[in-house]
């Protein structure tokens, strides 16, 4: 079990941190078969703050590993992180990524059958806005 009771899934030698991450992998394969996605890669790694030394101790680097890099047939490129729920640490890494790589597009997405597209995928921030509005209207 990983955080939030997700179980790692191993299929065809690939390990996914959750079923939803695997579902998005299948979605990307489908998009690639239909010519919408040209290429995608799993788990590209970025160094946000390199390792350094202070007071004689080596401090580990801070890294960020989104779930996917996707290149679309129209030339767009983006990095996608599939989220069930954000954490303060993931929010901080997201901000650091945006600051250190302003020229790259990072999108957090999640699955919501109720609010997502025909496959259930929706932008994480958009879903949170919808949920906030719904809570206010109750």
């Amino acid at each position: 079990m990983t955080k939030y009771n997700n179980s790692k899934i191993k299929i065809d030698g690939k390990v996914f941190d959750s079923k939803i991450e695997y579902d998005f992998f299948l979605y990307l394969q489908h998009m690639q078969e239909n010519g919408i996605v040209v290429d995608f890669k799993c788990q590209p790694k970025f160094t946000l703050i390199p390792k350094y030394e202070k007071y004689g101790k080596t401090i580990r680097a801070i890294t960020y590993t989104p779930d996917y890099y996707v290149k679309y047939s129209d030339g767009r490129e983006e990095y996608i992180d599939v989220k069930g729920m954000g954490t303060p640490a993931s929010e901080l890494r997201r901000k650091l990524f945006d600051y250190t790589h302003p020229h790259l597009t990072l999108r957090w997405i999640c699955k919501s059958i109720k609010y997502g597209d025909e496959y259930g995928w929706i932008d994480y921030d958009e879903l949170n806005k919808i949920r906030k509005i719904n809570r206010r209207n109750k």
Side-chain angles (χ1 to χ4, degrees):
M1 287 284 191
T2 59
K3 62 184 173 190
Y4 305 115
N5 297 322
N6 289 331
S7 296
K8 288 192 182 261
I9 297 172
K10 186 174 183 178
I11 297 175
D12 296 331
K14 293 185 186 310
V15 178
F16 300 91
D17 288 336
S18 66
K19 179 166 181 341
I20 192 170
E21 193 177 307
Y22 173 66
D23 288 347
F24 194 73
F25 177 81
L26 295 177
Y27 172 73
L28 286 173
Q29 283 183 325
H30 173 73
M31 299 275 281
Q32 190 172 35
E33 289 165 5
N34 290 314
I36 299 165
V37 167
V38 175
D39 189 26
F40 69 93
K41 294 182 179 16
C42 297
Q43 308 228 319
K45 189 173 184 177
F46 294 89
T47 299
L48 302 176
I49 299 175
K51 73 176 184 176
Y52 61 95
E53 268 195 44
K54 186 167 184 174
Y55 307 124
K57 290 185 178 181
T58 300
I59 310 300
R60 287 186 325 178
I62 295 176
T63 60
Y64 183 68
T65 307
D67 296 317
Y68 299 100
Y69 158 79
V70 181
K71 183 172 185 177
Y72 296 94
S73 58
D74 64 6
R76 285 181 302 123
E77 297 178 19
E78 64 183 359
Y79 295 88
I80 296 178
D81 213 345
V82 180
K83 291 288 180 197
M85 173 185 293
T87 64
S90 64
E91 293 281 353
L92 179 60
R93 279 188 164 81
R94 180 185 193 185
K95 288 178 183 178
L96 285 169
F97 178 90
D98 286 342
Y99 181 77
T100 58
H101 298 83
H103 58 289
L104 300 179
T105 301
L106 173 65
R107 248 184 6 131
W108 281 11
I109 60 150
C110 52
K111 196 163 194 175
S112 170
I113 301 305
K114 186 173 182 179
Y115 300 112
D117 64 13
E118 63 185 293
Y119 301 101
W121 300 109
I122 185 170
D123 186 82
Y124 178 84
D125 296 323
E126 186 63 32
L127 181 60
N128 281 338
K129 285 179 193 174
I130 291 169
R131 288 177 173 163
K132 187 176 182 179
I133 290 167
N134 288 345
R135 278 193 303 269
R136 240 187 274 143
N137 292 334
K138 281 189 177 183

